[in-house]
Amino acid sequence: MLDTTRRVATPEGIELTLRLAGPVPRALAWTIDLLLRAALVLLVSMVASQLGRAGWGVILLAAFFVEWILPAWFEAVWGGQTPGKRMFGLAVLNDDGTPVRWPGALTRNLLRAVDFLPLLYGIGLVTMLLNRDFKRLGDLAAGTVVVYQPPKAEAARKIPEAAPIVPPVALSLEDQRAVVELAERSATLTPERFEELAALPQPLVGQLQGEPAAKRLLGMANYLAGKQ
């Protein structure tokens, strides 16, 4: 419910499609995290109560750490996930699709205090519904988005079909592998970035005129793959 997608290009030219998480799965993940945090504070309270008045200081410090620091620590070191987010397959990323780091994770978590107002994340929910990327105030300040984590199963790499072209120069085994691997990566690159990379080996593609470098490289990759 209320999920959408966002396309971003990384600095390496790789185009990613991020499936943004709406309010409902995020609320469910938050509920799981809330129950776990409450259980942890309760456990600390049971132990600290044996310390008398000093135990209250321990409880207050533990409550602050568990509520505000621990979620940010999880997101920074656990791939943008808290236990609740991991259970529902969600993760926090930067706007450009890169992993969230400590400053961003801390910023978005500290601003939960504002998003929570006036009750049960009222401001955060309104902000998310008014934003096409479902960002609450913490996400807007930190430059982050919450997305569904893609499946870990590795997709089989395949060379796009093209008419085979015999390389105009002799290629070593290492060069052949480089051509084939670049062709296999073409589906993960923007067309502009792939054309730029395909044009780099001028002695290879520069001698074949009349076709874009990307198309020529794909033709040679199909030829080399057919030999193997």
Side-chain angles (χ1 to χ4, degrees):
M1 178 179 180
L2 291 178
D3 295 325
T4 187
T5 59
R6 171 179 177 161
R7 299 178 70 86
V8 298
T10 67
E12 295 79 13
I14 298 177
E15 191 172 79
L16 302 175
T17 299
L18 305 178
R19 187 182 170 202
L20 301 170
V24 173
R26 292 176 65 171
L28 293 174
W30 174 81
T31 301
I32 297 298
D33 288 331
L34 177 64
L35 293 175
L36 293 176
R37 293 198 302 270
L40 185 56
V41 172
L42 179 60
L43 180 61
V44 172
S45 300
M46 294 173 60
V47 176
S49 63
Q50 308 300 319
L51 302 177
R53 295 181 59 182
W56 283 106
V58 174
I59 294 172
L60 291 175
L61 288 174
F64 176 83
F65 175 82
V66 169
E67 180 64 26
W68 302 109
I69 306 301
L70 189 60
W73 180 84
F74 268 119
E75 290 178 355
V77 304
W78 220 18
Q81 295 182 308
T82 59
K85 289 186 178 70
R86 176 162 291 191
M87 182 175 295
F88 288 93
L90 308 180
V92 180
L93 299 177
N94 292 320
D95 283 337
D96 60 1
T98 56
V100 67
R101 300 301 181 190
W102 176 251
L106 185 61
T107 298
R108 71 183 304 276
N109 275 281
L110 291 179
L111 283 177
R112 282 191 292 117
V114 180
D115 282 312
F116 194 85
L117 299 173
L119 184 68
L120 295 177
Y121 283 94
I123 290 180
L125 178 59
V126 171
T127 305
M128 290 172 67
L129 295 178
L130 294 177
N131 187 283
R132 65 179 300 274
D133 292 331
F134 300 126
K135 290 170 172 272
R136 58 178 178 82
L137 292 180
D139 292 314
L140 291 171
T144 56
V145 290
V146 180
V147 303
Y148 285 99
Q149 192 175 47
K152 291 187 177 181
E154 183 177 353
R157 297 192 299 179
K158 182 180 179 182
I159 299 175
E161 293 186 7
I165 298 175
V166 179
V169 295
L171 298 177
S172 66
L173 182 59
E174 183 178 351
D175 290 336
Q176 293 181 35
R177 287 175 178 168
V179 170
V180 172
E181 288 177 1
L182 178 57
E184 289 174 338
R185 286 185 54 208
S186 62
T188 67
L189 302 173
T190 59
E192 296 79 10
R193 180 58 173 166
F194 181 50
E195 177 68 25
E196 179 184 350
L197 294 175
L200 290 178
Q202 277 299 317
L204 184 61
V205 297
Q207 298 186 30
L208 301 173
Q209 303 299 325
E211 295 286 354
K215 188 173 182 179
R216 284 175 269 167
L217 187 134
L218 288 177
M220 285 182 280
N222 275 271
Y223 172 82
L224 294 172
K227 286 178 56 180
Q228 298 174 0

